[in-house]
């Protein structure tokens, strides 16, 4: 796969790549490592770096301070992050809320570092007016809005299926064709879209880096050929040299489709479920949003498949050290509508008042002179939970507390609680990160974890109904 690059300037831009260990990120590094000063970001520490000219930095994107540190001196940040995989033993929270929180973290960190541009690779959106978005596409749009909500200029690149070696969507198609001699396709496979090759996607990203013409813009990309998912299966079979009978049936439910794609496409359910929900839409490129910065001789779908199946191009990838995981960590993220426009400071203060009031026969709370907030069971004097506010990392739109004590907590130096406003304060996110419970795991997940979700849902209703 060859790309025609722009001339290399004397002063190379510094480009941070969030999600550098993923499919698009690894290929971007492969092609443009000499053109840019690339800072590749990953959650795990690199053990063996095959490209000495690329700087790898370890980052925890759930932490604003960690993200701020790795974006120092960066001109352009490329955001390729999607939270499909859990990073703790128990994750209480939808992928939409998790992605929204991560994007807000990244936007805040980019703003603090005066990053000029964020490039986000998202998904095409339906063109039918009034059509409700799938969870997956709605999440992509929210991430786009959050990344563009501060001073860094956002370039949102919206793409359909990106066809290339190692891509999860194309691998699902390839595995379906490989594993099934007869493909009874659900009705959604007749939906139309415009897949694009990895080569052309990388060329477009490269053209957008530092390009002021695309600052603050959404761009939709796809090869001009409009085809159905069923047709993609048929063309893939031809390129694989497989004789396959492909036909549509109207009887597949959405749930059955997820099982079918997940099992025979050899993909995890957390990836399959949101993607299949999105495939009911017609996802094509709008004329007014089409990429027009340069002429691209787009590969057809068949040419893209041939390139994806070409095993002669060697992609060097780094090896990573295993994560130093703390045993039995918990992350819990809940989104609350903020119809009354309260600040995160107000919500945090109200929660500390509301909790002992709601459990008035069970829980008592007080604020110590040190500023710590302590909750007790009424008949005990030993704190069950102790929170320490961090003033220098809190502001009106975000309140941060370390989980610093209590008999419900096993590690006092690890977890934190936060309240923050997102999407112009349309929502408040409450999140507990890296919490380590003292209770035995099976007891915790069946008691304290469920009680926490129930309590947060009650607090969500309280906020909705409270006027002032």
């Amino acid at each position: 796969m060859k790309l025609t690059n722009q001339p290399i300037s004397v002063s190379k831009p510094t480009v941070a790549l969030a999600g550098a260990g993923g499919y698009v990120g690894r290929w971007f590094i492969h092609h443009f490592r000499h053109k840019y000063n690339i800072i590749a970001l990953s959650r795990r520490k690199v053990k063996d770096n095959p490209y000495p000219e690329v700087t790898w930095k370890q980052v925890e994107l759930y932490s604003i301070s960690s993200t701020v540190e790795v974006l120092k001196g960066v001109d352009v940040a490329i955001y390729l992050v999607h939270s499909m995989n859990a990073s703790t033993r128990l994750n209480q929270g939808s992928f939409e809320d998790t992605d929204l929180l991560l994007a807000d973290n990244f936007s805040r960190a980019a703003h603090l570092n005066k990053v000029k541009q964020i490039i986000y690779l998202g998904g095409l959106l339906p063109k039918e007016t009034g059509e409700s978005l799938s969870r997956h596409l709605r999440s992509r749009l929210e991430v786009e809005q959050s990344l563009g909500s501060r001073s860094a200029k956002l370039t949102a690149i919206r793409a359909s299926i990106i066809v290339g070696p190692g891509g999860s969507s194309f691998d699902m198609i390839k595995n379906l064709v490989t594993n099934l001699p007869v493909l009874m396709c659900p009705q959604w496979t007749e939906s139309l879209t415009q897949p694009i090759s990895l080569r052309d996607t990388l060329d477009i990203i490269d053209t957008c880096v530092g390009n002021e013409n695309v600052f603050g813009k959404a761009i939709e990309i796809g090869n001009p050929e409009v085809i159905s998912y069923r047709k993609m299966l048929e063309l893939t079979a031809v390129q694989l040299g497989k004789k396959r009978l492909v036909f549509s049936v109207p009887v597949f439910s959405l749930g059955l489709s997820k099982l079918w794609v997940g099992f025979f496409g050899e993909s995890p359910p957390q990836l399959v479920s949101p993607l299949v929900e999105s495939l009911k839409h017609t996802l094509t490129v709008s004329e007014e949003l089409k990429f027009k910065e340069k002429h691209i001789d787009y590969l057809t779908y068949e040419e893209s498949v041939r390139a994806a199946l070409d095993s002669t191009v060697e992609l060097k990838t780094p090896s990573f050290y295993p994560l130093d995981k703390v045993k039995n960590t918990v992350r819990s993220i809940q989104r609350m509508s903020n119809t009354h426009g309260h600040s995160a400071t107000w919500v945090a203060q109200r929660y500390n008042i509301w909790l002992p009031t709601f459990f008035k026969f069970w829980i008592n709370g007080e604020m110590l002179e040190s500023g710590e907030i302590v909750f007790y069971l009424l008949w005990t004097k030993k704190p069950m939970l102790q929170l320490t506010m961090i003033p220098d990392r809190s502001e009106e739109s975000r309140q941060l507390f370390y989980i610093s004590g209590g008999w419900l907590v096993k590690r006092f130096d690890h977890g934190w609680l936060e309240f923050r406003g997102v999407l112009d304060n349309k929502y408040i996110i409450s999140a507990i990160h890296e919490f380590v419970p003292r209770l035995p795991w099976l007891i915790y997940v069946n008691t304290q974890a469920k009680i926490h979700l129930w309590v947060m849902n009650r607090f969500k209703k309280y906020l909705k109904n409270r006027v002032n």
Side-chain angles (χ1 to χ4, degrees), residues 45-81:
K45 186 177 180 181
V46 166
K47 184 177 182 180
D48 177 37
N49 181 7
Y51 300 125
E53 60 271 38
V54 175
T55 301
W56 282 85
K57 291 185 178 181
Q58 187 177 13
V59 64
E60 176 52 86
L61 291 176
Y62 286 99
S63 165
I64 291 179
S65 59
S66 176
T67 311
V68 167
E69 184 63 30
V70 298
L71 291 184
K72 288 180 178 178
V74 168
D75 299 306
V76 177
I78 301 176
Y79 192 80
L80 305 170
V81 176

Side-chain angles (χ1 to χ4, degrees), residues 199-260:
R199 185 204 71 173
D200 297 337
T201 302
L202 293 173
D203 195 2
I204 290 170
I205 294 174
D206 173 47
T207 304
C208 290
V209 172
N211 185 345
E212 294 185 4
N213 292 334
V214 296
F215 283 10
K217 290 186 179 180
I219 298 167
E220 297 190 342
I221 64 173
N223 127 47
E225 174 187 18
V226 179
I227 62 174
S228 68
Y229 296 101
R230 175 183 164 182
K231 185 66 174 177
M232 290 164 64
L233 290 167
E234 293 173 342
L235 293 175
T236 302
V238 172
Q239 295 304 317
L240 287 170
K242 305 284 187 182
K243 291 185 178 181
R244 295 293 184 254
L245 178 61
V246 184
F247 59 94
S248 296
V249 292
V251 294
F252 270 66
S253 67
L254 189 60
L256 190 57
S257 294
K258 293 176 184 178
L259 289 174
W260 177 75

Side-chain angles (χ1 to χ4, degrees), residues 39 71 166 240 263 267 331 346 352 426 436:
I39 298 175
L71 291 184
L240 287 170
F263 183 76
S267 299
R331 177 168 287 110
W346 185 94
N352 295 330
K426 181 179 180 181
V436 184

Side-chain angles (χ1 to χ4, degrees), residues 8 19 75 138 154 287 302 312 373 425 448:
I8 300 176
D75 299 306
R138 185 171 61 248
L154 179 70
E287 182 62 32
E302 291 173 280
T312 61
I373 301 166
N425 222 31
Q448 186 182 341

